[in-house]
Amino acid sequence: VNEPPKYHTILVSLIVLATLVRVALPIIAPEHYALWITSSQLIWTVAFALFCWSFIPMLIQKRIDGHFG
């Protein structure tokens, strides 16, 4: 119905990056395992916070068509 904001591509890319950091980098350099996990957590947290920041206003405002819900 509506197109998502253009920066949602960036948010999804951040989530994919967090996944790659979490899965691939510990295989490549296991000696830095804690760094990879922490980095992945931070990237995912930033992406999710930005995602919430963009969607929460949409979810709490009144509907345009005036219906309930």
Side-chain angles (χ1 to χ4, degrees):
V1 175
N2 295 324
E3 290 192 29
K6 294 180 181 179
Y7 58 86
H8 279 208
T9 304
I10 296 169
L11 300 179
V12 173
S13 299
L14 284 173
I15 293 171
V16 170
L17 176 64
T19 304
L20 292 175
V21 169
R22 169 65 178 90
V23 174
L25 292 180
I27 294 171
I28 296 169
E31 63 275 4
H32 300 294
Y33 183 76
L35 174 66
W36 304 139
I37 298 301
T38 304
S39 300
S40 176
Q41 289 172 345
L42 291 173
I43 296 167
W44 189 91
T45 302
V46 167
F48 188 70
L50 292 172
F51 186 79
C52 288
W53 181 266
S54 67
F55 269 102
I56 287 176
M58 187 184 331
L59 295 173
I60 62 175
Q61 66 186 359
K62 289 181 89 174
R63 285 180 49 162
I64 295 173
D65 61 7
H67 289 104
F68 178 75

